[in-house]
C-alpha cells in the first residue's frame, strides 16, 4: 500500500517532534495538577500508583497513539475512520476522535482558567514581587484573586486568545520555535528551585510524603484519580498526540521517542512534587489544600530565596509558556477536524475557542459566585475535571489501545513502528492488547465498586 503523506508537511526533525510532544505533555498537569492531586490523595501510594500507570498503561498507549496518527496522517477523526476501514473494521472508530474532541473542550475550559492564574502571578511577580511576604499574606493574595471573577474572566480571555492565535496560524509553524527554548529553560529553573527546597525546605519530609507508600490507604477513588493524572499529564486519550504523530516523518522511531517523552514528563512532575512538598511541610501548610497549592507555595520560596525577585517572574513566564504549548495541543484536534470540512483554520479556531471560553466560565464561577453549587459532592470545576480527566481520557485511551492492538493487524503495526517483530515489538503488543486495556478496565470497575461486590478485593 502506498504511504499517505501529511497534508500539513512534516516536523523539521526528530527533535522538533520530541519538543512538540513534550511541549504538549509538560504543562500545568505536571506543575499545578500533579502536586495538588497527590496532596489531596495523601502522596506515597498514590504517587507510586501514578508512576505505575504511566509506564504500564501510558507508555504503550502513547506509542499506539503516535503510530495510529502517523498511519492515518489526517485529523484524529478521519484517521481513526480511515485506518479502521483499511484494517477491515468499521468507520465508526471515528467516534473515538469525536469523544477526544469533547474531552479536549472540557479540559481546555478549565486549563485556560488556570493559565489565567499564571498570568496573574506573572503580573504580581513583576510588579510587587513576593519578597518578604508571609505565608498568610501569600494566602491572601490567592484568595483575593479567586474572589475576583471579573479579573479571572479577563485573564482567561487573554489565555484563550493566545491559544487561538497559535492554533489559527497552524501549529507546525508556531509551536516548534516556542518549545525549542522553553523546555531547557524550564528544566534549568526547576533545578534551581529544587536546590532551594533541598536547602531550605523539609526535604526528607517531602521525600517521605511523596514516596512512602501505605497501600492500604489507597482508595479506589484515589486509584482512578492517579490513572486519570497519568492520562492527563501525558496528553493521552483525546487525539492530541495522534494529531502530532500525523506530522511525524517516516523512519523516526516511535517507541524511543515516546519513551523519552514519558520519562521527561514523569521526572518533571516528580521534581515539581519534590520542590513543593518540602516547602509545604516546612511552613506548616496543608498538602491537601487543592488547586491553589502551587500558587501558595512557590511564592513563599521566592519570597525568601536569594534572587527570588528575579527568578519569580522567569518561573511564572515559563509556566505560562508550558501551559500555552499544552493548550495548543488541546485545541488542535478539534480545529483540524473542522478545518478538514473546508473551513478556514483561523475562523474555526476562533469559533471553537469562544465556545470553550464560555464553558470556562463555569470553572471560574465555581471558585466564587457559584461556590455553593455542588454536584455529587464536588464543585462545578471538580465535576468537569473528573469527567474529562478521570473518565473520558482513560476511556479514549482504552479504545485507542484496543484499536492499535486488536483492530490493526500485526503487519500494519510492525510496519508502522519499524522495529521488526522482535522482543521490543512483542512487548509493546502484549501491553497494548492485554495489559493496558485490562488495567484501565480494572481501575474503572474498582472505582465503581464492582470488584468489591464480586468479592475480588
Ligand atoms: N498534558 C498536559 C499537561 O500536563 C495537558 C494536556 C492534556 C494537553 C491533554 C493536551 C491534551 O499540562
Amino acid at each position: 500500500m502506498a504511504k499517505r503523506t501529511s497534508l500539513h508537511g512534516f516536523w523539521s526533525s526528530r527533535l522538533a517532534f520530541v519538543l512538540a510532544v513534550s511541549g504538549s505533555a509538560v504543562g500545568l498537569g505536571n506543575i499545578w495538577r500533579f502536586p495538588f492531586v497527590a496532596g489531596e490523595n495523601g502522596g506515597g501510594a498514590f504517587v507510586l500508583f501514578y508512576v505505575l500507570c504511566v509506564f504500564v498503561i501510558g507508555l504503550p498507549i502513547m506509542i499506539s497513539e503516535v503510530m495510529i496518527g502517523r498511519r492515518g496522517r489526517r485529523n484524529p477523526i478521519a484517521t481513526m475512520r480511515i485506518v479502521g476501514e483499511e484494517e477491515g473494521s468499521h468507520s465508526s472508530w471515528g467516534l473515538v476522535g469525536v469523544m477526544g474532541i469533547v474531552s479536549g473542550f472540557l479540559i481546555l475550559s478549565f486549563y485556560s482558567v488556570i493559565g489565567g492564574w499564571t498570568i496573574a502571578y506573572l503580573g504580581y511577580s513583576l510588579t510587587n514581587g513576593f519578597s518578604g511576604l508571609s505565608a498568610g499574606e501569600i494566602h491572601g493574595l490567592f484568595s483575593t484573586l479567586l474572589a475576583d471573577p471579573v479579573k479571572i474572566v479577563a485573564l482567561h480571555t487573554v489565555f484563550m486568545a493566545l491559544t487561538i492565535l497559535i492554533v489559527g496560524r497552524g501549529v507546525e509553524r508556531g509551536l516548534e520555535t516556542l518549545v525549542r527554548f522553553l523546555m531547557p529553560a524550564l528544566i534549568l529553573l526547576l533545578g534551581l528551585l529544587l536546590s532551594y527546597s533541598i536547602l531550605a525546605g523539609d526535604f526528607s519530609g517531602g521525600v517521605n510524603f511523596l514516596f512512602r507508600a501505605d497501600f492500604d490507604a489507597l482508595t479506589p477513588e484515589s486509584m482512578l484519580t492517579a490513572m486519570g493524572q497519568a492520562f492527563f499529564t501525558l496528553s493521552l486519550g483525546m487525539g492530541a498526540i495522534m494529531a502530532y504523530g500525523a506530522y511525524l516523518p517516516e523512519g523516526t522511531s516511535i517507541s524511543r521517542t515516546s519513551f523519552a517523552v514519558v520519562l521527561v514528563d514523569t521526572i518533571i512532575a516528580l521534581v515539581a512534587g519534590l520542590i513543593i512538598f518540602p516547602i509545604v511541610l516546612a511552613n506548616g501548610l496543608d498538602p491537601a489544600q487543592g488547586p491553589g497549592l502551587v500558587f501558595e507555595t512557590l511564592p513563599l520560596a521566592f519570597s525568601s530565596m536569594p534572587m527570588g525577585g528575579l527568578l519569580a517572574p522567569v518561573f511564572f513566564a515559563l509556566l505560562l509558556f508550558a501551559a500555552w504549548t499544552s493548550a495548543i495541543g488541546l485545541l488542535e484536534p478539534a480545529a483540524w477536524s473542522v478545518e478538514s470540512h473546508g473551513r478556514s483554520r483561523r475562523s474555526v479556531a476562533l469559533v471553537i475557542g469562544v465556545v470553550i471560553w464560555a464553558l470556562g466560565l463555569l470553572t471560574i464561577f465555581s471558585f466564587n459566585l457559584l461556590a455553593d453549587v455542588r454536584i455529587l459532592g464536588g464543585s462545578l470545576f471538580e465535576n468537569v475535571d473528573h469527567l474529562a480527566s478521570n473518565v473520558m481520557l482513560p476511556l479514549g485511551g482504552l479504545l485507542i489501545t484496543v484499536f492499535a492492538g486488536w483492530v490493526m493487524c500485526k503487519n500494519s503495526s510492525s510496519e508502522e513502528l519499524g522495529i521488526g517483530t522482535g522482543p521490543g515489538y512483542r512487548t509493546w503488543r502484549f501491553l497494548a492488547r492485554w495489559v493496558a486495556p485490562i488495567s484501565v478496565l480494572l481501575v474503572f470497575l474498582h472505582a465503581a465498586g464492582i470488584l468489591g461486590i464480586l468479592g475480588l478485593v
Side-chain angles (χ1 to χ4, degrees):
M1 184 198 65
K3 284 275 183 186
R4 264 182 292 275
T5 86
S6 161
L7 306 177
H8 285 258
F10 293 110
W11 299 108
S12 59
S13 65
R14 180 178 113 97
L15 181 68
F17 173 74
V18 175
L19 286 171
V21 175
S22 29
S24 163
V26 176
L28 295 171
N30 307 61
I31 293 164
W32 161 73
R33 199 175 187 276
F34 170 71
F36 105 71
V37 292
E40 282 182 342
N41 289 279
F46 174 90
V47 173
L48 294 179
F49 190 71
Y50 148 77
V51 173
L52 187 74
C53 289
V54 161
F55 287 97
V56 171
I57 304 177
L59 181 58
I61 296 187
M62 169 86 73
I63 295 174
S64 306
E65 253 199 79
V66 179
M67 176 189 82
I68 299 169
R70 187 166 75 180
R71 191 85 181 161
R73 293 224 185 272
R74 298 281 188 280
N75 69 66
I77 300 181
T79 285
M80 291 293 287
R81 203 184 53 228
I82 295 172
V83 180
E85 281 174 345
E86 205 167 83
E87 298 288 337
S89 182
H90 218 263
S91 62
S92 50
W93 280 104
L95 291 176
V96 175
V98 176
M99 185 177 77
I101 287 176
V102 178
S103 318
F105 271 47
L106 294 175
I107 294 177
L108 186 53
S109 80
F110 66 80
Y111 204 89
S112 165
V113 174
I114 317 300
W117 294 359
T118 20
I119 302 179
Y121 273 72
L122 176 60
Y124 294 146
S125 52
L126 282 172
T127 49
N128 311 319
F130 305 108
S131 112
L133 294 190
S134 67
E137 286 163 326
I138 285 171
H139 174 71
L141 211 55
F142 185 69
S143 31
T144 317
L145 174 68
L146 279 198
D148 188 348
V150 177
K151 184 167 178 184
I152 312 186
V153 171
L155 295 170
H156 165 56
T157 312
V158 173
F159 188 88
M160 264 326 285
L162 288 172
T163 307
I164 293 171
L165 193 78
I166 297 285
V167 174
R169 285 179 44 184
V171 276
E172 66 279 21
R173 267 186 296 160
L175 204 58
E176 269 194 48
T177 14
L178 195 64
V179 193
R180 202 174 276 268
F181 83 96
L182 169 79
M183 276 300 147
L186 187 69
I187 291 173
L188 184 76
L189 221 78
L190 288 173
L192 284 178
L193 283 167
L194 183 62
S195 39
Y196 170 84
S197 265
I198 295 176
L199 295 173
D202 175 1
F203 194 68
S204 59
V207 171
N208 256 336
F209 181 82
L210 268 186
F211 298 115
R212 246 224 353 240
D214 171 11
F215 282 100
D216 292 338
L218 191 64
T219 64
E221 188 59 31
S222 291
M223 291 169 85
L224 183 67
T225 308
M227 180 171 77
Q229 174 61 22
F231 278 91
F232 188 99
T233 190
L234 297 174
S235 309
L236 292 178
M238 57 145 298
I241 298 295
M242 203 183 283
Y244 288 172
Y247 310 131
L248 187 63
E250 298 298 331
T252 307
S253 161
I254 293 180
S255 47
R256 266 190 297 156
T257 315
S258 304
F259 184 71
V261 171
V262 168
L263 198 65
V264 167
D265 187 87
T266 310
I267 292 175
I268 292 186
L270 295 177
V271 168
L274 285 174
I275 293 171
I276 286 167
F277 289 108
I279 301 174
V280 168
L281 298 174
N283 292 281
L285 303 173
D286 177 11
Q289 70 176 80
L293 189 65
V294 186
F295 296 97
E296 296 197 27
T297 46
L298 291 188
L300 208 54
F302 292 124
S303 78
S304 64
M305 70 197 277
M307 299 207 310
L310 197 72
L311 292 177
V314 179
F315 175 80
F316 284 108
L318 288 172
L319 185 58
L320 176 60
F321 277 125
W324 191 19
T325 54
S326 300
I328 292 165
L330 281 161
L331 190 54
E332 174 63 14
W336 192 5
S337 302
V338 183
E339 180 198 18
S340 305
H341 289 94
R343 307 276 156 75
S344 98
R345 180 167 261 270
R346 273 166 207 276
S347 56
V348 169
L350 184 65
V351 172
I352 299 179
V354 169
V355 174
I356 296 175
W357 174 88
L359 206 59
L361 299 178
L362 286 183
T363 289
I364 294 182
F365 297 146
S366 79
F367 291 109
N368 37 63
L369 306 176
L370 301 177
D372 294 334
V373 179
R374 316 288 290 178
I375 303 167
L376 302 170
S379 66
L380 288 173
F381 156 67
E382 285 164 338
N383 275 285
V384 175
D385 180 19
H386 178 79
L387 174 68
S389 317
N390 300 345
V391 180
M392 292 176 68
L393 294 186
L395 185 61
L398 173 72
L399 294 168
I400 287 170
T401 190
V402 164
F403 185 87
W406 293 94
V407 173
M408 283 180 75
C409 67
K410 232 174 162 169
N411 281 343
S412 315
S413 56
S414 69
E415 180 191 39
E416 201 57 54
L417 290 177
I419 46 172
T421 49
Y425 173 76
R426 284 204 300 272
T427 310
W428 165 77
R429 196 148 190 263
F430 178 69
L431 290 171
R433 280 164 80 95
W434 299 101
V435 181
I438 292 177
S439 310
V440 173
L441 270 182
L442 284 178
V443 176
F444 274 157
L445 293 177
H446 192 36
I450 293 180
L451 298 189
I453 293 174
L454 298 176
L456 292 175
V457 283

